[in-house]
Amino acid sequence: MSQLSRKTEHLVQGQPTRDGAGVNLVRVLTHQWQRRLDPFLMLDEFRSDDPNDYIAGFPEHPHRGFETVTYMLAGQMRHKDNAGHEGVVGPGDVQWMTAGKGILHSETPEQVEGLMHGFQLWINLPAKNKLAKPTYQEVASNQIPVVRSQEGHSVKVIAGQWHDIVGPLQRPDTAPLYLDIQLANAQPIFVPITASHNALVYVVAGEPEVGGQRVTARRMAVLENNPQADGVLLQGNAGDQLLVLTGQPLAEPIVQWGPFVMNSREEIEQAIADYQTGQF
C-alpha cells in the first residue's frame, strides 16, 4: 500500500507567557490557530528547573465548555476540584478533565526544586456536550501503552489508536489521536492520520523532518489537509521527541472568553453569570 505524507503547511514558534499565579510557559497553539486546528483550542508547554518559574502553580480557577489534557514528562502536579476529584500527576502520567457545564480546579506543584516539564492541551466539546456533567480521569504512566515500531522507535499511545494498539483515552466526537514518539535512529517512521482530521506535530527535542521539512525544537508544525495523504512521515535522529496530535474538527462556532469556550456570546455571558453566582 502506497503511503503519501502530509506536508508541513506552517511552522509556529511558541509565545512565552505567564499564567496562573505566575507560571512561566510557552503557548504554542494560540487563539489564531483555533479554527485551523479545530477541535484543539490551546497547547502549552511548561519546562523549567527553576522553581520560581512554576512554584506558584495555578490557584483555583473556573472552566466551562471544553476538556483539558495534562501530560507530565517530569515533576509532579496536584489537581483538586470542587467536584471532589483530587490526585497527583507525575512523570509519564496523564490527567483528562472534562469541564462540561462548569468546574473550579487548582493545579499545584508537588515539588520545591527540580525539573517541571509537561504539556496542557485544550480540546473543544461539541455543542451538545458543553453543559455535560464534569468528569475527571487520571491515567498512570504504566496504563499507557508504549510500543516499538518496526523501525525501532518508541510510540506512546495516549489517546486514539496506533495500528492495533488502542490508547486509554477515547472521545467519539473529536476522535483525538495523541502520540508521544521518541526516535531511536535515522529510519523514517510513517504515522497514519485519518484524512478528515486536522493535525499538528510539536517537536519536544531534536530537529527532525516533519513531512519533508526540518523543524527545530519547541516549534509546532501545522500539517496540510490533503485528502490524498494518509499520514505524515517523520525522520530524525536518536533522541528526537515529537508529539503528534490529530482530531476530527467539530466545525461549530468557537467563542472564547478566558476559561470559557462556548458557541455564542450569549452562552459566554451565561457562563460568567453562573460563575459569579456560585453555580459552578
Side-chain angles (χ1 to χ4, degrees), residues 12-34:
V12 179
Q13 171 79 56
Q15 301 298 313
T17 187
R18 291 165 74 89
D19 209 336
V23 177
N24 283 325
L25 50 82
V26 173
R27 184 144 295 159
V28 185
L29 198 171
T30 57
H31 190 270
Q32 72 182 95
W33 294 102
Q34 289 179 343

Side-chain angles (χ1 to χ4, degrees), residues 39-51:
F40 302 125
L41 299 166
M42 191 184 82
L43 177 64
D44 286 347
E45 179 182 21
F46 44 93
R47 183 194 322 199
S48 179
D49 56 10
D50 179 354

Side-chain angles (χ1 to χ4, degrees), residues 200-241:
L200 67 94
V201 175
Y202 183 70
V203 176
V204 182
E207 200 172 313
E209 286 189 4
V210 177
Q213 179 157 347
R214 191 161 297 284
V215 182
T216 54
R218 309 193 81 174
R219 283 176 171 78
M220 174 174 72
V222 178
L223 302 185
E224 67 173 356
N225 289 334
N226 178 350
Q228 273 73 53
D230 48 4
V232 63
L233 191 67
L234 309 174
Q235 185 171 18
N237 297 298
D240 289 3
Q241 183 177 6

Side-chain angles (χ1 to χ4, degrees), residues 65-66 98-101 125-133 172-173 252:
F66 60 97
T98 303
K101 65 182 179 181
L125 283 169
K128 63 181 182 180
N129 294 339
K130 281 191 175 291
L131 297 180
K133 181 181 176 182
D173 295 294
E252 295 177 350

Side-chain angles (χ1 to χ4, degrees), residues 174-187:
T174 49
L177 174 70
Y178 193 155
L179 304 176
D180 178 355
I181 298 178
Q182 299 200 38
L183 302 184
N185 53 57
Q187 289 284 320

Side-chain angles (χ1 to χ4, degrees), residues 117 154 199 226 274:
H117 186 195
S154 166
N226 178 350
D274 290 347

Side-chain angles (χ1 to χ4, degrees), residues 110-154:
E110 283 279 293
Q111 65 198 64
V112 294
E113 60 182 14
L115 177 64
M116 173 78 74
H117 186 195
F119 301 88
Q120 187 165 95
L121 173 71
W122 288 13
I123 305 178
N124 208 359
L125 283 169
K128 63 181 182 180
N129 294 339
K130 281 191 175 291
L131 297 180
K133 181 181 176 182
T135 62
Y136 172 81
Q137 188 175 357
E138 258 176 41
V139 186
S141 181
N142 60 12
Q143 296 176 291
I144 305 173
V146 180
V147 295
R148 189 72 56 190
S149 76
Q150 61 185 28
E151 301 86 6
H153 308 302
S154 166

